[in-house]
Structures are given as C-alpha cells and as structure tokens.
Amino acid sequence: MKKNENEVRKIMLKVRMNESEFQQVKKHQQKSTEKNISAYIREVAMQKPVLINYRNQSADDFLKDMLALKKDLNGIGNNFNQVVHKLHILDKIPEFRTWVNHYDGLHQSLVKKVNEIKLRMNQLYEEWLQK
C-alpha cells in the first residue's frame, strides 16, 4: 500500500537544544504514549492532544498483591500434585482407591481454576503495563 503524497514526510526540521532541554523533552515524551521523540514533538508542535500515561498507586499495589497470590497458587498446585501422586502410589490398597478417585477429580478442578486465575492475572498485568 502506497502512502498518500500528503502523508509522506519529506521536510526535515532541525532544532538545537542543550542537554538539559533535550532531557526535559525526552522525559515528557516518556510520560506520554508516543513511542518516539519525533512523533511526540510533531504532536506538540501541531497543538494536537498528547496522551499521558497515568499510573494509579492503588492499582500498582493491587497488581503486586495479585502477583504474590499467583506465586502462592503455584505453590498450592505443586503441593496438591505431590499429594495426588503419592495417593496414586498407594492405589494398591482398596481404601485408598476411593480417595484417589475423589482427589483426582478435585485435582483436575483445582488445576483448571488455577490456570484460569493465572491467565486472567497475566491479562490484567499486560493491560496495566500497556505493552
């Protein structure tokens, strides 16, 4: 697809700045949603609105707690896997067969829910990081 003649940027504008001015512009650009300095300066020069990233501390705290919860869920899942594995070893004893069958169903249910929670937490985390 060829760009329209008006969309092609042929004109280069040179601006001189000292180091502190450049760092200030760069800092403002990094706070914005613009990916590079050229796009940021173009938006500002054309007096177009520039979207600024805003971080909510309570949401950051929530995400930190959710990541800790995810780690705990992984630990619980690993421990439950070990218990079910040991029950399978005791499968030769008749009383344990009923336990094995019961806990095998619970194990599948727990693994499914933990995976759903982990997937949703990853989605929320990715959305928040705005990748």
Side-chain angles (χ1 to χ4, degrees):
M1 187 186 301
K2 191 174 180 180
K3 284 188 176 182
N4 196 356
E5 185 68 27
N6 292 336
E7 293 179 19
V8 177
R9 295 186 174 100
K10 297 179 185 176
I11 300 170
M12 185 185 301
L13 179 65
K14 294 182 183 182
V15 178
R16 294 188 182 267
M17 296 182 185
N18 61 32
E19 186 64 30
S20 66
E21 291 170 335
F22 177 73
Q23 290 304 324
Q24 190 173 5
V25 170
K26 189 174 178 181
K27 186 173 95 175
H28 289 300
Q29 177 261 324
Q30 288 173 344
K31 289 181 182 177
S32 76
T33 56
E34 296 298 331
K35 295 190 185 275
N36 58 48
I37 290 180
S38 294
Y40 173 76
I41 291 174
R42 191 177 306 111
E43 296 294 313
V44 171
M46 300 302 286
Q47 297 181 347
K48 293 183 179 177
V50 177
L51 296 176
I52 303 295
N53 289 337
Y54 174 72
R55 297 300 294 243
N56 184 339
Q57 185 61 41
S58 63
D60 284 345
D61 294 341
F62 172 75
L63 285 174
K64 190 184 300 181
D65 292 342
M66 288 297 105
L67 290 173
L69 177 62
K70 180 180 171 184
K71 182 179 175 185
D72 292 343
L73 284 173
N74 283 333
I76 291 168
N78 288 339
N79 290 343
F80 199 78
N81 280 339
Q82 291 171 0
V83 168
V84 170
H85 179 71
K86 287 180 183 179
L87 280 175
H88 278 285
I89 292 172
L90 298 174
D91 192 29
K92 311 287 187 272
I93 302 171
E95 297 115 25
F96 288 109
R97 282 195 188 124
T98 57
W99 283 25
V100 168
N101 291 335
H102 178 70
Y103 284 106
D104 208 25
L106 284 176
H107 174 256
Q108 295 302 323
S109 153
L110 176 69
V111 167
K112 181 180 174 186
K113 285 296 178 187
V114 166
N115 286 334
E116 286 175 17
I117 291 169
K118 285 169 44 176
L119 178 66
R120 184 62 184 137
M121 288 171 61
N122 285 336
Q123 289 171 346
L124 289 171
Y125 187 71
E126 293 296 322
E127 285 174 21
W128 183 247
L129 288 179
Q130 297 176 353
K131 285 191 172 183

